[in-house]
Amino acid sequence: MATTNDHPGEQAAQDPVKLIGIRDSALSLDEVFRAVGDDAAGGTALFVGTVRNHDGGADVEELGYSCHPSAEAEMRRIAEKVTAEFPVRALAAVHRVGDLRVGDLAVVVAVSCPHRGEAFEACRKLIDDLKHQVPIWKHQRFSDGTEEWVGAC
């Protein structure tokens, strides 16, 4: 009998980046979750970023996301870096642009790996790197009439 690490399911998939996108319409948890389905994955981690009702002590009314034309290519570059670092079976990431209200989904990422620990770590790396490196900007509008622009994601 082969040891656990000898099984192909313990390794990264051949082409694990299944879905990368910038969307101007509502995001779907089901679409992202389906994209990372893999029979060899024992763990799937999903992160959902939503528009919250406050930031920096002020009440958020709504916000808008905009991006540089290179944003999707940058998302793919980051995804490929994560798949090189972890034994990813499947990975998906989508980010919303346009006007959003409190409670709307802003970003959904998911990673499936042979084991849960790897899936958690890879998913965290993916969302953290997307947040800090992808050229997406947030324009927040507050209930008191003020507004501000916030850097990437």
Side-chain angles (χ1 to χ4, degrees):
M1 185 165 144
T3 62
T4 307
N5 291 333
D6 290 339
H7 191 279
E10 292 294 315
Q11 309 305 316
Q14 200 85 34
D15 185 15
V17 179
K18 304 299 183 187
L19 173 65
I20 297 291
I22 303 285
R23 305 279 173 77
D24 62 1
S25 58
L27 303 182
S28 166
L29 294 175
D30 290 338
E31 176 191 25
V32 173
F33 186 69
R34 277 193 309 273
V36 298
D38 187 292
D39 289 344
T44 299
L46 177 80
F47 173 81
V48 180
T50 56
V51 177
R52 64 178 177 263
N53 67 359
H54 68 282
D55 189 40
D59 293 334
V60 171
E61 198 63 35
E62 63 182 5
L63 57 80
Y65 282 104
S66 59
C67 69
H68 188 272
S70 67
E72 194 167 305
E74 184 65 11
M75 287 176 70
R76 180 165 296 280
R77 184 191 69 76
I78 291 166
E80 289 170 353
K81 188 175 174 188
V82 169
T83 63
E85 191 174 329
F86 297 92
V88 174
R89 300 298 305 171
L91 177 149
V94 292
H95 201 295
R96 178 89 186 268
V97 292
D99 292 330
L100 286 79
R101 295 224 168 264
V102 171
D104 285 349
L105 305 183
V107 61
V108 181
V109 302
V111 178
S112 61
C113 292
H115 303 281
R116 71 178 176 275
E118 299 158 341
F120 280 127
E121 290 177 40
C123 191
R124 177 158 195 142
K125 174 84 172 147
L126 176 62
I127 190 59
D128 286 350
D129 288 356
L130 289 177
K131 183 170 178 65
H132 293 104
Q133 298 175 33
V134 177
I136 296 176
W137 303 280
K138 179 169 54 174
H139 182 209
Q140 298 187 117
R141 293 177 283 283
F142 300 102
S143 61
D144 65 3
T146 61
E147 55 187 56
E148 75 174 346
W149 282 90
V150 180
C153 295

